[in-house]
Amino acid sequence: MEGVDYLADERKKTEFDVEEMKIVWAGSRHTFEVSDRMAKLVANDPVFRKDDRVMLARKDLFKNTLRKATYAWKRINELRLSEEEASKLRSFVDEPAFTDLHWGMFVPAIKGQGTDEQQKKWLPLAYKMQIIGCYAQTELGHGSNVQGLETTATFDPQTDEFVIHSPTLTSSKWWPGGLGKVSTHGVVYARLILDGQEHGIHGFIVQLRSLEDHRPLPGITVADIGMKFGSGAYNTMDNGLLRFDHVRIPRDQMLMRVSQVTRDGKIVQSDVPRQLVYGTMVYVRQTIVQDASIALSRAVCIATRYSAVRRQFGSSNGGPETQVIDYKTQQSRLFPLLASAYAFRFVGEWLKWLYTDVTQRLQANDFSTLPEAHACTAGLKSLTTSVTADGIEESRKLCGGHGYLASSGLPELFAVYVPACTYEGDNTVLMLQVARFLMKTVSQLGSGKPPVGTISYMGRIEQLMQCRCAVKKAGDWLNPNAVLEAFEARAARMSVSCAQKLSKFSNPEEGFAELSADLVEAAVAHCQLIVVSKFFEKLQQDIPGKGVKRQLEVLCGVYSLHLLHKHQGDFLATSYITPKQASLANDQLRELYSQVRPNAIALVDAFNYTDHYLGSILGCYDGNVYPKLYEAAWRDPLNDSVIPDGYEQYIRPLLKQQLRVAKL
Ligand SMILES: CCCCCCCCCCCCC/C=C/C(=O)SCCNC(=O)CCNC(=O)[C@H](O)C(C)(C)COP(=O)(O)OP(=O)(O)OC[C@H]1O[C@@H](n2cnc3c(N)ncnc32)[C@H](O)[C@@H]1OP(=O)(O)O
Ligand SMILES: Cc1cc2nc3c(=O)[nH]c(=O)nc-3n(C[C@H](O)[C@H](O)[C@H](O)COP(=O)(O)OP(=O)(O)OC[C@H]3O[C@@H](n4cnc5c(N)ncnc54)[C@H](O)[C@@H]3O)c2cc1C
């Protein structure tokens, strides 16, 4: 059976050039080549084996992660990998580790919020991993409300130092990844106090552990916060707690790009906005949007391949049963997720561009696009992670009973992914930020300042409030202008409706709180419009390869029309479409599913995932699922012996007791 491709017939149905689609998915030929090389490097190295992860007890699991992370660093240096290659290699190792926070938050926080001198001092140490850092912001009592953090940093002019202190139990830092057992340093967020006066939240570089023996420095209490959701999963990470008892650090360890504290204890604001203290979160939210397409595509790849292998019912005259992927219900659950993975890939690509653009502008002291960048990163992080987490769970259900097995890879993927809905900002809290941005935009309409970027459609508010959908037959829903206008009209009308209701409140904050559920819905509509419009923009590009652009047009249709179908209440309630037009959209959607069907396997092959990275028997490339499931069952430690441990102690006496009862 070895070497047989059970999905070969499926692959023969493909109507487009898969190799070219791989380049589109990766973003460029260069990125594809780097990814492909790094994925194979990891897959072929036994040190990076991960199939035993869910069986390991916490201490072994954690030590194993330390071993892999250290080995990855050794390989990165031996092979002289570039930053891009190293980051890909780490992502294919596919195990949350302290290095994620070191490279993903500690280094960016210093880069974004440190002065040139501070960067010169700290970055070389961090780049060589001579120090290991974490991002210590959240506390036991406050996460979302950053202004509510309680840790204090009081300037002592006598010694030219800050005194970092945890005044209450709830001020204990709680959650930072890499803090519990590994980090030697942290960027710690605390309330700045100068001469008895508070000056808001700022970041400070604080050494936590000795570089000699790794013991916590005097005044520092640090530990892991304990087991988290699921087996394996995020338990490879040492999320930590941290308390300070009047810990002293030199004045120059406050990150001073946004505000400086002078030798005599005065605060000087530079001309950059104070929101830049939140800059690291903007950066990470943008990377999380890119990662969403990866996590969702992994789940979809597993569910699609397995749906083509799995057969249930429908056999006549002893012929084969129906592949479950041919059931329209399966398609209507699976194909929108496949389309969403592609949609998130393209919006992630665009968001990366937006982030680079805003960063360049900030360097030139142009802060005009910061509010939009904040709204886009917050909203798209919220939207894509919510859909991805739900999509992974739906993929598990699409695989029936076998999806519940750890060897399907889906339970662990869900457990490792789902906190993305919470970290880097709770998804509801972030959508409320988008809503604030929308309400501000609506209130400024007509002020002479035309809305730009993702909000520019609001500049056509009068037209969007009055227009009616022109669709007459199902095929009209393939017209990008018809779809875009529908999403724009829905988003604009929902925002305006909220703004009108808000204006009736004498206290706007009270109104905002009262209407917050409606405001979140308006923000979701706006974010979905961004994703749809960026998919259409992608289709404007020159896309080579036989049939590639055509497949992407089909997926774009699936993405937008499934949203229109799912949220038809919004489109109907805002009176843009009629019930008949909603029904035509659904007819067109069904037709598009039929066009996806022969290409489904090739569309997931285009993700180019190795079997190692997928980590799923149900999703393996050759589709040889059943023998692999059978063999995996025998590898479970419970099957090491025929008679289980505990038989003598529990089962035997129980059976004997039943025997005695039966004799009576
Ligand atoms: C298999 C695949 C696996 C994938 C794995 C991926 C791995 C990725 C690694 C990720 C590792 C995760 C590690 C997690 C780390 C963390 O979680 S760090 C902690 C993150 N914490 C948060 O995100 C806290 C959320 N809260 C906030 O961001 C803010 O406080 C707030 C809620 C957004 C604002 O609260 P509020 O009190 O209303 O705000 P103010 O402080 O008063 O500011 C108001 C004005 O500032 C604007 N603003 C807010 N945030 C920003 C920003 N980031 N940038 C720019 N501007 C901002 C806001 O719009 C207001 O503006 P005005 O209206 O103009 O006044
Ligand atoms: C796996 C993981 C890793 C993490 N890593 C780090 C890290 O490295 N560093 C770090 O500093 N932090 C980290 N965090 C913490 C994380 O950033 C916070 O948990 C997150 O920001 C949410 O804050 P919270 O826990 O205070 O939630 P809460 O704000 O307490 O949320 C509880 C509920 O209240 C609702 N809610 C809160 N405020 C509002 C509001 N204004 N309006 C309406 N509803 C509201 C929320 O929607 C949610 O339903 C991590 C968390 C997790 C789970």
Side-chain angles (χ1 to χ4, degrees), residues 80-263:
R80 294 172 180 272
L81 298 185
S82 65
E83 210 176 309
E84 183 192 11
E85 290 168 325
S87 140
K88 285 274 182 228
L89 182 137
R90 277 193 295 270
S91 72
F92 286 120
V93 172
D94 189 34
E95 192 155 302
F98 63 94
T99 43
D100 298 350
L101 280 301
H102 176 80
W103 295 108
M105 293 202 81
F106 181 69
V107 168
I110 298 173
K111 269 181 166 175
Q113 291 157 56
T115 60
D116 289 347
E117 299 90 87
Q118 289 176 318
Q119 294 189 36
K120 220 185 252 172
K121 173 173 174 185
W122 295 100
L123 289 179
L125 297 169
Y127 286 150
K128 288 185 222 141
M129 294 205 86
Q130 287 167 340
I131 59 173
I132 300 172
C134 64
Y135 184 87
Q137 182 176 296
T138 307
E139 297 174 354
L140 194 52
H142 294 95
S144 299
N145 181 6
V146 179
Q147 294 299 324
L149 297 178
E150 297 175 83
T151 305
T152 50
T154 310
F155 183 62
D156 178 354
Q158 304 291 323
T159 57
D160 198 20
E161 290 171 319
F162 289 107
V163 182
I164 312 287
H165 185 59
S166 312
T168 58
L169 177 69
T170 47
S171 71
S172 310
K173 294 292 171 191
W174 192 275
W175 270 119
L179 166 68
K181 294 289 159 191
V182 180
S183 294
T184 61
H185 289 67
V187 169
V188 173
Y189 287 82
R191 278 174 189 281
L192 173 63
I193 299 174
L194 301 173
D195 198 16
Q197 281 227 314
E198 284 204 11
H199 294 271
I201 301 298
H202 296 265
F204 300 82
I205 300 179
V206 185
Q207 182 169 352
L208 308 170
R209 292 183 165 95
S210 154
L211 291 173
E212 297 301 320
D213 60 9
H214 207 60
R215 291 193 176 281
L217 294 186
I220 284 179
T221 304
V222 62
D224 185 275
I225 60 170
M227 280 292 277
K228 290 149 293 201
F229 185 84
S231 338
Y234 219 82
N235 290 302
T236 55
M237 184 72 85
D238 54 329
N239 293 91
L241 65 88
L242 169 65
R243 289 185 59 73
F244 300 98
D245 182 5
H246 300 95
V247 172
R248 288 178 170 267
I249 59 166
R251 179 171 54 94
D252 68 4
Q253 286 181 211
M254 169 174 148
L255 291 172
M256 294 214 204
R257 178 162 176 222
V258 178
S259 323
Q260 296 90 46
V261 171
T262 58
R263 175 67 190 87

Side-chain angles (χ1 to χ4, degrees), residues 512-540:
F512 197 88
E514 182 60 27
L515 296 171
S516 55
D518 296 4
L519 284 159
V520 166
E521 287 177 11
V524 168
H526 169 72
C527 293
Q528 288 175 343
L529 164 63
I530 299 178
V531 184
V532 168
S533 63
K534 295 305 158 194
F535 208 147
F536 280 122
E537 273 176 30
K538 180 76 191 178
L539 294 174
Q540 310 284 305

Side-chain angles (χ1 to χ4, degrees), residues 367-389:
F367 311 116
S368 59
T369 57
L370 188 60
E372 192 203 4
H374 166 50
C376 287
T377 47
L380 291 171
K381 180 273 181 187
S382 174
L383 180 79
T384 57
T385 56
S386 293
V387 172
T388 298

Side-chain angles (χ1 to χ4, degrees), residues 8-16 323 326 597-599:
D9 285 345
E10 284 293 329
R11 294 191 166 104
K12 278 187 203 135
K13 295 178 190 163
T14 309
E15 297 164 326
F16 68 96
Q323 290 167 280
D326 283 327
R597 167 64 188 95
N599 297 292

Side-chain angles (χ1 to χ4, degrees), residues 59-98:
K59 276 186 166 183
D60 296 332
L61 181 70
F62 182 66
K63 194 168 174 193
N64 200 33
T65 304
L66 293 184
R67 181 175 63 86
K68 285 190 196 177
T70 312
Y71 179 72
W73 179 240
K74 181 170 162 267
R75 294 299 286 148
I76 287 165
N77 286 310
E78 281 169 358
L79 299 168
R80 294 172 180 272
L81 298 185
S82 65
E83 210 176 309
E84 183 192 11
E85 290 168 325
S87 140
K88 285 274 182 228
L89 182 137
R90 277 193 295 270
S91 72
F92 286 120
V93 172
D94 189 34
E95 192 155 302
F98 63 94

